[in-house]
Amino acid sequence: MNGSPKPAGTPAWTPAGTTADKPAERPAGNPAGKPSWAQRAAGGLGGGVLRLFLAGAALFWLLPTLGLLVSSFLSPADLNGGGWWQVFTAPARLTSENYERLLADEAITGSLLNTVAIAVPATLLVLVLGSFAGYAFAWLEFPGRDALFLVVVGLLVVPVQVALIPVSELFGAVGLFETTAGVVLFHTAFGLPFAVFLLRNFFAEIPRELLEAARLDGAGELRLFARVVLPLGGPAIASLGIFQFLWVWNDMLVALVFADAANPPITVALQQQVRQFGNNVDVLAPGAFLSMVVPLVVFFAFQRQFVSGVMAGAIK
């Protein structure tokens, strides 16, 4: 009968030629709905092409460095007689004489020690002072905090070249010109704005409840900073330390102006080795790679902390 009620769950209307319980049809030969072999082949081919392209781009990017490395193991006669790629046909031409001669030069070995004496204190001072200042700007209340932090941020845009002449006059007046301490202070002063900005933003992400709980347990500000904030900020501090160390180690402008000409860092010492006439790749190539060893060791030693610090805040 037309007026009889329909069972529950029965659709009110069904198109002609279809049933409500009929499942959706799948392509013949692909009952599970999986990608076809053609689609899988196309996807694999695309991934292979992408990997090949990235590998080629990486090799192209590293080609000058590879050429410099090979040139550092070639004698001056071989360098003048052909390009560095000649080692692929005559690998016996590789020699360590350039490094032996360079390490026997007391000016080069002394400059390496001078660079360490500059880079290590400049890095440690920035980390210590930047950590204290970052914590103060993030969690301590004092008059003018926001205005002072804006001043610190504004110092980020001040170029180093602007400060060379006035700081030179100041260092000359106080006896710090052409001294290692003067170079360290200059690098510390210009590294602190970025350090304070970075660490303040990182420390501000620490949950307030965690700090309040530590205060309720009787922890003072110094103990709270040492026991809670510093362990949580380890990745950011390690990343900052790597950046600061690399900047100071590879700097030549500040060292050329403020360092003692008789005891320069490695960058200035290599610049002094440049000859007025002739090719001197046999000196600069091994010297460049010798100066790269320490930064590479530092970077790979703290690589995990560096990645953690870069990714900090990206994932909540």
Side-chain angles (χ1 to χ4, degrees), residues 209-275:
E209 294 79 6
L210 183 62
L211 302 181
E212 294 297 335
R215 290 190 178 99
L216 290 176
D217 290 338
E221 294 298 333
L222 185 59
R223 187 174 183 181
L224 178 64
F225 174 75
R227 296 294 183 89
V228 179
V229 176
L230 282 185
L232 293 176
I237 296 174
S239 301
L240 175 64
I242 291 175
F243 278 121
Q244 177 69 11
F245 185 86
L246 294 180
W247 288 336
V248 177
W249 184 276
N250 295 322
D251 170 75
M252 188 178 73
L253 177 61
V254 176
L256 194 62
V257 175
F258 294 102
D260 187 1
N263 298 296
I266 185 63
T267 52
V268 179
L270 291 177
Q271 187 269 339
Q272 293 175 352
Q273 296 289 329
V274 176
R275 302 167 188 162

Side-chain angles (χ1 to χ4, degrees), residues 33-57:
K34 297 180 179 179
S36 63
W37 67 269
Q39 293 173 332
R40 293 195 298 269
L45 181 61
V49 172
L50 179 61
R51 294 189 187 94
L52 185 62
F53 173 77
L54 293 177

Side-chain angles (χ1 to χ4, degrees), residues 70 74 78 81-94:
V70 174
L74 292 176
D78 291 332
W84 60 268
W85 48 86
Q86 60 185 306
V87 298
F88 295 108
T89 57
R93 295 184 178 183
L94 294 175

Side-chain angles (χ1 to χ4, degrees), residues 1-23:
M1 295 176 63
N2 294 335
S4 61
K6 296 181 179 181
T10 304
W13 174 79
T14 303
T18 62
T19 60
D21 297 332
K22 185 178 180 179

